[in-house]
Amino acid sequence: MEPPVRLASTGTIIHGVSVGEVLGVSTLAEARLIAGESGLGRIVQRLNVMEVPDILAWVKPHELLLTTGYPLRNTPQSLGRLVADLDERGLAALAIKLGRYVDELPGDMVEQADRLGFPLILLPNDVGFDDILNQVLTDILNRQAAVLARAEEAHRALVQVVLAGGGLREVAAEVAQLLDVSVAVVDGAGAVLATAGPAEHVAALRESISHEGPPPAKAGLAPARAGTAGRGREFASVPVLAGGHHHGRIVAYSASTAIRDSDVGILERAATVAALVVTRQEAVNAVESKYRADFLRDVLTGRAGTAERINGRARAFGWDLSRPVTVLVAELDPDGDERSAQDRLVACWTAAVRRHDRRGAVAGFSHEVVAVIDAALDAARVAKDAAAAFADLPPATFSTGTSRPSPGADALPEAYAQALKAARVGRQLHGPGAVAHFDQLGVYRLLSLVNDTDELHAFVRETLGPLAADDDAENADLRRTLHVLLETNLNVAETARRLHFHYNTLRYRIGKLERMLGNFTDDPHLRLNLTLALHVLRMRGI
């Protein structure tokens, strides 16, 4: 929900008094309401006197228009349309003196005022306009001064909460006390971060938030309560903005008195203070995240010291690395917007690990996220939960690798290497979004353990010859034929069916392959070498 929008007006007066309160001033003690009783809650911010027939060009929203009827004495037929025109321009009410220039108001004018909720007030003849102006404007200015003073006092109290080290919970409690309402602070995803107020009212507030609040009447403004004519509402919401980002909103609920525009102004001050809290917490989190990531990187690369030292520092972060654990590595797949996706990836994995293992470690590196969780947990399920949370950020995806169980901190570097290889090999074999366990890689696990990649590539060139290169389309096609032949254990008929070749065409291709590579149909050792070479090619880039 967006912040409530007030009707645009000019000048510096932004608060006023209701039409009903205007009728309570002493000079209007004998005034009588003719029509539009349902509009007594309309706000008066200024007064104007009607001296010309074409008054519409000079009026402003929230005005109480005073007239003797003199400009209308020669055109009484225009009275019928006057109420609709004034209401359309946002005026608060029309007060008129009858008898001297206009004897009575037309019936259709009174009916229209009742229908629109536009107050028509009959003024006593012995009351001067200057007395009305003085008293009502004094009340308006006093009201504005009181509202501004209250807002300033609220702002000082809220700032003091932050200076004293308070967080969102304390800000919500202060607002609830200032406005006598129930308050909830909600993040950008709709999760409630803090609440304050009576339990039953907070429950109603949570229910409203879970249904995205009450149906908005205008730009996030909840519908006005019956009888308030727009002066107040049960719910109000303002956004929390910091650093150009939308961090959520503050929502207030009142079960007794309506929330007025002046209360919304204090909510807006509270949102500014909440933004300071959010910004401060983000800065703290950024520093803590860097320390966590640096420490975990040292652990996974074997530079963190003894197991005793590692376990001691890990406990300070709330991690338990002394138990049997599993390492998971999540890498963003290529072709995604890595800059915008990396932070989201860290957040999703952090949330997933916290749900499954409160003592698990998780940290984001430059191109990956590493999690260390209890070895007894289902690592695939944790990865699935993280992927489900990340799915609302298309088209970015990530691949996950899982290590063997690690008995303790000393074995974590080896487990990290296993998980990293599993993530990269899994992506090569199964495409983006793969989830692979190191023990399920088969022959690829053995090939990935060969550190001398130049030797592997030399083996491929020596074994496949011209088929090792991709610069010739015909050779690439022949390599595909060889792959299917070996996969079907030299079943010519099945290979022809898969490749949609005629049997004789395939026999011709087999002959050509044997001239290039050797008699692999009769030599099982050569077939093994060819199979391994094709596997290495498939792992290219790992």
Side-chain angles (χ1 to χ4, degrees), residues 4-29:
V5 174
R6 302 185 181 90
L7 192 61
S9 62
T10 59
T12 59
I13 296 179
I14 59 175
H15 302 286
V17 295
S18 68
V19 175
E21 291 170 323
V22 168
L23 290 175
V25 302
S26 59
T27 55
L28 296 179

Side-chain angles (χ1 to χ4, degrees), residues 194-208:
T195 60
E200 63 275 16
H201 295 168
V202 170
L205 188 54
R206 286 181 178 274
E207 180 69 17
S208 169

Side-chain angles (χ1 to χ4, degrees), residues 357-393:
D357 185 1
R358 301 292 297 181
R359 296 181 299 165
V362 59
F365 299 160
S366 57
H367 301 289
E368 65 196 37
V369 175
V370 179
V372 183
I373 62 174
D374 191 339
L377 293 174
D378 185 349
R381 184 178 177 187
V382 178
K384 183 178 180 181
D385 283 1
F390 193 72
D392 62 352
L393 190 68

Side-chain angles (χ1 to χ4, degrees), residues 93-104:
L94 173 65
I96 187 170
K97 289 185 178 183
L98 295 179
R100 185 170 182 181
Y101 301 109
V102 177
D103 292 329
E104 62 180 6

Side-chain angles (χ1 to χ4, degrees), residues 168-191:
L168 294 177
R169 188 184 303 276
E170 288 73 22
V171 170
E174 187 69 26
V175 175
Q177 181 178 355
L178 288 169
L179 301 183
D180 192 21
V181 296
S182 297
V183 177
V185 183
V186 186
D187 66 13

Side-chain angles (χ1 to χ4, degrees), residues 19 47 54 66 84 124 140 156 158 200 209 228 233 239 256-257 280 285 287 303 318 323 333 405 528:
V19 175
L47 289 85
D54 56 341
L66 308 176
I140 290 173
R156 284 197 298 269
L158 290 166
E200 63 275 16
I209 292 169
T228 62
R233 56 201 69 89
S256 53
T257 59
R280 181 188 66 189
N285 290 342
V287 174
R303 300 195 304 265
R323 56 185 173 167
D333 295 320
L528 176 60

